[in-house]
Amino acid sequence: MTSSSPSASPPISSSPGELDLRGEICPFTFVRTKLALEALPFGATLRVITDHEPASRNIPRSAAEWGQEVLGVTGLPDGTWAIDLRKRVR
């Protein structure tokens, strides 16, 4: 069982190019990622922060299958992952 914040409020994006999905699980992590990418202009980058380990694999795989560019997946010291994506399809 994983521990998460006791707050039930939904994750918020801290900036147009960053999506904080801590506390969210699959498939909602990719659904929110896809919606965020759709709102960005072509060529823009999006950094997705997640604490759900399966999402660190599923988001990049699904984004690549959808035609987006996966720039990288980085494990962060706090136990989260940063997934960097570039919008390549509309």
Side-chain angles (χ1 to χ4, degrees):
M1 184 181 224
T2 59
S3 171
S4 64
S5 171
S7 172
S9 53
I12 57 168
S13 176
S14 57
S15 70
E18 185 172 301
L19 182 63
D20 184 353
L21 295 179
R22 286 176 280 198
E24 290 286 332
I25 61 171
C26 295
F28 303 108
T29 53
F30 182 67
V31 171
R32 290 182 185 253
T33 299
K34 186 173 182 189
L35 291 172
L37 276 170
E38 287 175 346
L40 293 175
F42 185 77
T45 59
L46 178 68
R47 172 167 272 201
V48 179
I49 305 296
T50 184
D51 58 358
H52 184 59
E53 190 272 334
S56 71
R57 295 184 314 272
N58 295 338
I59 290 173
R61 184 186 69 238
S62 296
E65 289 172 359
W66 180 37
Q68 306 303 350
E69 181 181 358
V70 179
L71 300 173
V73 178
T74 307
L76 302 176
D78 65 355
T80 62
W81 291 265
I83 304 163
D84 295 305
L85 306 169
R86 184 180 317 278
K87 183 173 180 174
R88 289 294 181 203
V89 296
R90 297 180 199 274

